Amino acid sequence: MSVVDFARFVDELATQSGQAILPFFRASFATEDKAAGTAAFDPVTEADRAGEAVMRQLIKRSFPDHGILGEEFGSEHADAEYVWVLDPIDGTRGFIAGLPIWGTLIGLTRGGVPCYGLMNQPFTGERFFGDGEAAHYQGPHGTRRLRTRRKADLADAILHTTDPRLFGVGTADRRAYERVETATRLARYGADCYAYAMLAAGHIDLVVEAALKPYDIVAMIPVIEGAGGVVTTWEGDSAAKGGRIVAAGDKRLHEAALALLNAD
């Protein structure tokens, strides 16, 4: 399959999933809590399921030998050489609140290593995509190369996390995160995958998260790396399996954040 054909196929995944999801945005729809009975609220909607279902159908029809790992419908052929990693709506809390800080994550791994990723925001008409070597933006105002911002000093950095409460109250992870936030110029909350896109675009310098699943991060790894950034676990290992994640636009900033996160 040629590069052009592959890019066209991923664009079709984004287009079809966006068409399935958008009718639910800022409309009345059912919401379930996947974390019912716990303190956390982990919503899933009809839109999540519709978006993933259409992507799975297209992948199975075009690449029957490929595996799929999706947030809503689990894993199929996980031992395949190529595995698609899907999150139809990353940022469901923002989605149900009518905020356009969510996106559809479409990632592809080869031998367990992320090799291509795309984040689609169908409401704003924006796509962020990369292959680890380069990353690009496509939106209402055209297409451009994505490049992270070069910031070496935490004191000058803009930090993002989804919600500090997700680290747990009084935990070592919460204290580690707070050390980093205290050292930065500005912290913002709540953008989920859109924060990684803004990091790749050079508007945010650092993202720190915990308890991520593979489908929360795999698609964004080739985008961030293709834009010149770094993304690993807090231990400095591959982020492909999720967990505690730190992404930075500058290698020096990444090293400084790791030092604070592991200061205990």
Side-chain angles (χ1 to χ4, degrees), residues 7 17 20 25 46 50 58 67 72 90 123 138 151 155 165 195 198:
S17 59
F25 187 53
E46 298 170 66
L58 287 170
E72 306 309 328
D90 185 81
F123 184 74
Q138 183 181 71
K151 291 276 186 180
R165 292 173 296 181
M198 293 299 96

Side-chain angles (χ1 to χ4, degrees), residues 189-259:
Y189 309 143
D192 293 278
C193 66
Y194 207 84
Y196 294 110
M198 293 299 96
L199 185 145
H203 303 299
I204 287 174
D205 304 297
L206 191 64
V207 180
V208 179
E209 301 282 12
L212 296 190
K213 302 297 184 182
Y215 44 72
D216 295 318
I217 189 63
V218 163
M220 296 310 301
I221 293 172
V223 179
I224 294 167
E225 293 180 344
V230 184
V231 53
T232 69
T233 65
W234 290 15
E235 293 76 29
D237 299 325
S238 169
K241 293 183 179 180
R244 302 184 303 172
I245 304 300
V246 54
D250 188 301
K251 181 179 179 180
R252 297 165 296 177
L253 195 67
H254 181 263
E255 291 173 350
L258 283 181

